[in-house]
Amino acid sequence: MTIEYADANQRMSQAAVHNGTVYLAGQVPHDASADMQGQTRQVLETIEAKLIKAGSAKDHLLSATIWVTDMAEFDAMNAAWDAWVAPGRPPVRACVEARLAKPEWKVEIMVTAARTES
């Protein structure tokens, strides 16, 4: 059984791959001054890049967990999500309101995806 770890430090890895499945750590925005849509777009761009690096793609998503700091901004987050997710291939998904590690972050997203066929 082989497990690949990517971008790891002592505490965590940004990605792990096992049996053709890619598990990404929760991703947060790099520019917390952006509004909810902007922060969500940043996170989704990061997810897409990490999936590609791990041998997957957004059209191979299996599941997503989304944490937002204020459900009043749920529609704004969904606007960015809906524009990004692969048409006809939405993953199973959960979204909850939560306090995040930094108060300026509005959203954190964690996904699992299948590796693309070689």
Side-chain angles (χ1 to χ4, degrees), residues 58-117:
K58 69 180 181 178
D59 64 348
H60 279 61
L61 287 177
L62 301 170
S63 68
T65 304
I66 303 171
W67 296 272
V68 297
T69 56
D70 186 351
M71 282 305 239
E73 296 193 275
F74 183 70
D75 290 341
M77 179 279 300
N78 271 332
W81 174 269
D82 292 345
W84 177 81
V85 75
R89 300 191 66 132
V92 299
R93 192 184 99 162
C95 183
V96 298
E97 184 176 273
R99 188 173 64 203
L100 300 180
K102 291 188 178 181
E104 60 270 23
W105 291 339
K106 295 177 175 288
V107 62
E108 181 170 350
I109 303 174
M110 185 170 67
V111 301
T112 302
R115 271 197 161 155
T116 54
E117 292 74 32

Side-chain angles (χ1 to χ4, degrees), residues 13 15 18 24 26 30-31 33 36 44 48 73 89 91 94 98 106-107 111 114:
S13 297
H18 178 258
L24 292 188
H30 54 81
D31 176 9
S33 68
M36 175 60 88
L44 295 172
E48 191 161 5
E73 296 193 275
R89 300 191 66 132
K106 295 177 175 288
V107 62
V111 301

Side-chain angles (χ1 to χ4, degrees), residues 4 6-7 15 17 22 47-57 115:
E4 301 168 40
D7 301 324
V17 180
V22 178
I47 287 171
E48 191 161 5
K50 289 184 181 299
L51 286 173
I52 290 167
K53 184 176 178 181
S56 188
R115 271 197 161 155

